[in-house]
Amino acid sequence: MWIFNSPKVVFGDDALEHLENIQGHRAFIVTDSNMVQFGFVKQVQQRLAVAHIESAVFAEVEPNPSLQTVLRAAAQMVEYQPDWIIGLGGGSAMDAAKAAWLMYENPDADPAAINPMDVYTLREKARLIAIPTTSGTGSEATWVTVLTDTELGMKLGLGTPELLPDLAIVDSTLTMGLPPRITADTGMDVLTHAIEAYTCTLRNDFADGLALKATELVFKYLPTAYATGSDAEARLRMHSASTIAGLAFGNAMLGLSHAMGHSMGAVLHVPHGRSVGLFLPYVMEFTANGGGTRYGEIAHFVHLPADDEEVGAAALVQAIRDLSAQVNFATSIKALGIERAAFDQALPKLVANAEADNQLFFNQRYAAKNDLARLFEYAYEGRSIDF
Ligand SMILES: [Zn+2]
């Protein structure tokens, strides 16, 4: 048995207006200081006011939110007693909102150990709205929350199905001002979600179509969103792609690019999308070598040569490298500006973290410790792995 989960999704360039129709009394907005500065928090509060909902703001979420940040937000929720929680921002803000909401309703829970096996009480006090302002993490469509244990220097991939937002508001006007660098990083994250969802061991018929569509949208619209950020069509389609890919991997899983990407993000402080997207072609070459993959089907769907699996996999890897070049996306760790000595010093930790990451287990080909070391090494130098 398997359950397909989805929030109610409101999308389009006027989606934010939907806030004027919700029922409730008090909303607690979890966000970061940029969202205040850009006026997005105000926009949300004005819409809520139309619905006669008062609101409070916690704008202290940092990139890679820590357990401490989550606990601080939850403590303020306890004081304010909201009946809506709103996560507004990129993945960090939405993930912090999810975990803080869980702590608000379950004060005795351990935020570092939120997992699908435990039973939590949710929706007795509040419901959750996620409003993404980047086209990347897909957190608005999943029950995952990625937090950072700052003491261990480690990212924690946590979650439980109850954490799925009730409502996702996918309004692309919030992404119009994103700088090209962030557009590229987050867009490559979307592509990685889609390809890993389609090829991981928990892939399924319900998620497959979503993964293929998201892949197609990224190939088609990311170059324009990157080069011409004011292109409303490209922004709208990339914002859709992000949520669609979130639904795909939220109902399947991911793979090795995310295990390695989470590790590099925590150890070498590389942004999430820049990290996972960098590893994607290497992981595909490694995984295709083990057989049993479906890269050829994806290649066929996006009109690349795909006579057989090997040809399709190679064509898809090349298309990803070409797309990376178009959006000036680094394709090696060295190209990120990380010195050889720093990399060598970090390597044991990079491997150990990736080995401990649960996404490792959903990759079609299992990567043992020596495989991981080899993959990181190839990715450092930018060397292709032979099929
Ligand atoms: Zn990701």
Side-chain angles (χ1 to χ4, degrees), residues 136-137 189-190 192-193 249 254 258 262 272-273 276:
T137 67
D189 191 24
V190 176
T192 310
H193 293 157
F249 86 82
L254 292 165
H258 271 78
H262 287 152
H272 176 79
V276 300

Side-chain angles (χ1 to χ4, degrees), residues 251-328:
N251 287 288
M253 269 298 159
L254 292 165
L256 192 49
S257 307
H258 271 78
M260 295 175 69
H262 287 152
S263 176
M264 187 162 80
V267 179
L268 296 174
H269 311 290
V270 179
H272 176 79
R274 199 173 301 172
S275 210
V276 300
L278 188 153
F279 292 123
L280 178 64
Y282 301 96
V283 164
M284 289 172 64
E285 288 173 334
F286 168 79
T287 308
N289 222 345
T293 52
R294 302 198 298 172
Y295 299 124
E297 291 175 23
I298 304 174
H300 177 75
F301 189 77
V302 294
H303 310 295
L304 294 168
D307 298 344
D308 58 33
E309 177 59 24
E310 199 174 330
V311 170
L316 189 57
V317 166
Q318 190 53 49
I320 293 166
R321 294 207 159 109
D322 292 346
L323 177 66
S324 298
Q326 270 184 288
V327 299
N328 294 311

Side-chain angles (χ1 to χ4, degrees), residues 157-174:
L158 309 167
T160 179
E162 289 297 305
L163 278 184
L164 186 78
D166 294 279
L167 179 63
I169 296 186
V170 186
D171 188 325
S172 55
T173 59
L174 300 172

Side-chain angles (χ1 to χ4, degrees), residues 123-137:
R123 299 181 175 79
E124 288 197 352
K125 292 184 175 174
R127 285 180 289 162
L128 179 67
I129 300 173
I131 309 176
T133 60
T134 61
S135 307
T137 67

